[in-house]
């Protein structure tokens, strides 16, 4: 009954978090009021494809372009995401419908025709923005009174003429825009709350020679002849003439500006999502409760028995974890490396925790493009202070004296390995001439954040940590290490480590599906309330499974628990990478080698980060556990 109440409470708490996330916007993202006739500037963003995962700028294709292309100011996260926001020739007037507006006339040469065909074949989508709202294509669900929205529209499509098996390429050259607005009755001003489009492929026709005043016969508002279908599509071939055109209609909406993102965040598998997460939480909470109960009862019995034996002459016959009290706090092999990884894990843990709090409060809503990535990078940099402190505190407990060496390795090891992978991936993206390649200016900014801010903060934290008194162990360590008896097969380090990673992975794998979908299938992720709960469950699960296996290890008189405690929960990263591999082959349609390398490269970085975080959680749980139990028994 208590478990059921806790589940209900957690669900209500998550719903509260979601409500809060909908209600707040990042300071500075303020609503804009438009009067009738005000100019609305449509901006174009990158071309995206879930088949290649390589973004390109809008004008990498020979679309109609203004005389001067102007880039919009982009934050660090937007640049890293490959966003390139530029001006366009699509200009509307608020609440003034337009029909059959001609943008430009293009005659394709061989190169332009080839570029369009390649992008159509790779299913690229065109992304546009109006008043900070992304352009979407509304799609009616079959047998449901539900409309879902897809970001952007396809460059074109492939098809065949009736009675002809030859595959042709057709371009979407006519766009029927719908701008939804919410009107203020008192001031007559309006705010934009929706930006939709229906793309058409139309072979436009006209009489005479083409000039600026030419009227189309296939789309003429004077003759009340508008585009409603693609029965006569526009082919993409060399020497083909393509006329780009658009319609604009304005619809009044009851949706208020503060709620305009709700439709974008609607998921068509919403019920499955909620049920799966709640089900996962119930299973993990139940297992965690059982593990905690068993551990508490077993430990209570052990401590009572050991303390009773101390009062008798049977103490010399003691067995179990008390027998290794003189070796349990002996410094492990490669203790310096362990200190570095623990410090890095603290840095990641702090970054994730603060990022989630900001996201729950709505400061990282989808309306702030690139805000999530920017926040994570900046928080990572400033959490270097805690990384240096944690690594040096542990290092001093191991009787270390060269704190500057540990500080340097903490500041360099993880970022350097990730930077090496990132440099290789970025070079591949450059080779594809994609906008996803990080420019030199942004690369310089990242290097400055690393060496100019993060590294000094790590050294400051290390200095403060080393000045603190060393952590004292509850028992003394023998000078001569005790011999470890032969272990049972199930206590083999490799086996127990691999077993230990299953439960933490089980706590997150359902949520992981939705996270991967949002990243690789170009969808919004917004359920930060439940993600925060899953993160809490992950912490509990990592801590408990590590404590249980550490207890069994000590009972087998094996005192080499330092590294094993880190690897036990950290091994969940292996299962994460295996799941990412499974997801690649079952959910994605990536066929290009470069795209596959990018996917596995980025997932390798994500798995490495997950290893560091979960490993650190398990280590500190085991560190607290061993200090607790050995300070609870009487030892001569």
């Amino acid at each position: 009954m208590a478990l059921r109440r806790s589940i209900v409470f957690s669900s209500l708490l998550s719903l509260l978090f979601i409500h809060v996330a909908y209600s707040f916007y990042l300071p500075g993202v303020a609503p804009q009021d438009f009067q009738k006739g005000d100019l609305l500037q449509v901006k174009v963003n990158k071309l995206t494809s879930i088949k290649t995962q390589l973004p390109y700028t809008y004008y990498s294709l020979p679309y109609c372009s203004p005389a001067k292309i102007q880039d919009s100011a982009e934050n660090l996260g937007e640049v890293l995401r490959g966003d390139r926001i530029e001006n366009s020739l699509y200009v509307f007037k608020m609440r003034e419908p337009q029909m059959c507006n001609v943008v430009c006339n293009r005659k394709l040469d061989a190169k332009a025709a080839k570029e369009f065909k390649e992008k159509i074949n790779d299913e690229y989508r065109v992304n546009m923005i109006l008043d900070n709202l992304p352009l979407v294509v509304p799609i009616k669900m079959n047998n449901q009174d539900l409309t879902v929205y897809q970001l952007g529209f396809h460059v074109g499509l492939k098809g065949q003429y009736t009675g002809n098996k030859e595959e042709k390429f057709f371009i979407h050259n006519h766009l029927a825009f719908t701008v939804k607005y919410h009107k203020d009755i008192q001031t007559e001003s309006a705010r934009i709350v929706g930006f939709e489009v229906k793309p058409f492929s139309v072979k436009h026709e006209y009489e005479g020679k083409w000039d600026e005043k030419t009227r189309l016969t296939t789309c003429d508002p004077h003759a009340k002849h508008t585009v409603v279908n693609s029965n006569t599509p526009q082919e993409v071939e060399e020497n083909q003439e393509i006329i780009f055109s658009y319609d604009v209609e304005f619809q009044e909406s009851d949706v208020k500006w503060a709620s305009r993102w709700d439709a974008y965040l609607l998921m068509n598998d919403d019920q499955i999502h909620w049920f799966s997460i709640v089900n996962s939480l119930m299973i993990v909470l139940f297992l965690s409760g059982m593990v905690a109960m068993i551990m508490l009862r077993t430990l209570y019995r052990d401590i009572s028995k050991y303390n009773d034996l101390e009062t008798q002459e049977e103490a010399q016959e003691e067995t179990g974890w008390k027998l290794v009290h003189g070796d349990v706090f002996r410094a492990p092999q490669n203790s310096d490396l362990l200190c570095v990884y623990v410090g890095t894990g603290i840095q990641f843990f702090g970054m994730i925790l603060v990022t989630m709090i900001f996201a729950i409060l709505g400061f990282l809503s989808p309306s702030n493009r690139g805000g999530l990535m920017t926040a994570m990078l900046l928080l990572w940099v400033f959490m270097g202070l805690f990384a240096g402190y944690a690594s040096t505190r542990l290092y001093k407990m191991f009787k270390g004296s060269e704190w500057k060496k540990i500080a340097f390795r903490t500041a360099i090891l993880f970022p350097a390995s990730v930077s090496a992978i990132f440099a290789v991936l970025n070079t591949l993206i450059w080779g594809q001439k994609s906008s996803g390649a990080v420019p030199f200016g942004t690369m310089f900014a990242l290097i400055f954040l690393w060496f100019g801010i993060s590294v000094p903060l790590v050294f400051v934290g290390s200095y403060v940590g080393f000045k603190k008194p060393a952590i004292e162990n509850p028992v003394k360590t023998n000078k001569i290490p005790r011999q470890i008896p032969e272990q049972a097969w199930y206590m083999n380090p490799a086996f127990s480590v691999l077993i230990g990673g299953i439960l933490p992975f089980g706590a997150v794998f359902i949520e992981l599906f939705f996270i991967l979908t949002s990243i690789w299938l170009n969808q919004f992720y917004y359920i930060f309330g439940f993600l925060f709960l899953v993160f809490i469950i992950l912490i509990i699960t990592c801590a408990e499974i590590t404590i249980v296996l550490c207890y069994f290890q000590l009972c087998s008189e094996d005192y080499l628990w330092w590294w094993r405690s880190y690897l036990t929960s950290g091994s969940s990263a292996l299962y994460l990478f295996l799941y990412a591999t499974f997801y690649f082959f079952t959910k994605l349609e990536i066929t290009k080698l470069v795209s596959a390398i990018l996917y596995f490269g980025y997932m390798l970085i994500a798995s490495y980060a997950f290893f560091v975080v979960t490993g650190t959680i398990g280590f500190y749980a085991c560190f607290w556990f061993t200090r607790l139990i050995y300070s609870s028994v009487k030892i001569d």
Side-chain angles (χ1 to χ4, degrees), residues 316-384:
Q316 68 263 21
E317 298 178 9
E318 64 186 20
T319 58
W321 54 265
K322 188 184 176 185
L323 200 60
V324 294
H325 66 82
D327 298 275
V328 73
F329 293 107
R330 187 181 304 280
Q333 290 184 342
N334 298 317
S335 59
D336 291 5
L337 185 62
L338 178 64
C339 296
V340 170
Y341 269 113
V342 168
T344 305
I346 289 294
Q347 190 172 5
F348 255 112
F349 183 84
M351 178 198 74
I352 294 171
L353 185 64
V354 178
T355 301
M356 284 192 180
I357 293 172
F358 281 149
I360 287 171
L361 295 177
F363 289 107
L364 301 176
S365 69
S367 61
N368 181 31
R369 282 182 309 277
L372 182 64
M373 188 171 291
T374 304
M376 291 177 69
L377 278 171
L378 293 178
L379 285 170
W380 160 264
V381 167
F382 289 110
M383 288 295 165

Side-chain angles (χ1 to χ4, degrees), residues 250-262:
F250 291 84
Q251 291 181 1
E252 189 169 357
S253 173
D254 294 330
V255 176
K256 295 183 179 180
W257 186 88
S259 304
R260 66 179 187 166
W261 277 89
D262 290 8

Side-chain angles (χ1 to χ4, degrees), residues 546-619:
T546 308
I547 287 172
V548 169
L549 292 178
C550 180
Y551 173 74
F552 290 153
Q553 180 184 353
L554 294 176
C555 286
S556 300
E557 301 177 24
D558 182 356
Y559 52 83
L560 303 177
W561 62 272
W562 297 94
W563 272 109
R564 198 187 296 192
S565 65
Y566 197 99
L567 297 174
T568 295
S569 52
S571 65
S572 56
L574 173 63
Y575 296 101
L576 187 151
F577 190 78
L578 292 175
Y579 180 78
T581 305
F582 171 79
Y583 185 88
F584 177 85
F585 288 107
T586 58
K587 299 298 180 182
L588 301 181
E589 299 178 4
I590 293 176
T591 53
K592 290 189 176 182
L593 177 62
V594 171
S595 303
I597 293 173
L598 289 178
Y599 175 85
F600 284 106
Y602 285 126
M603 290 313 302
L604 181 63
I605 292 175
S607 300
Y608 188 20
F610 193 72
F611 163 76
V612 170
V613 174
T614 53
T616 301
I617 294 169
F619 171 81

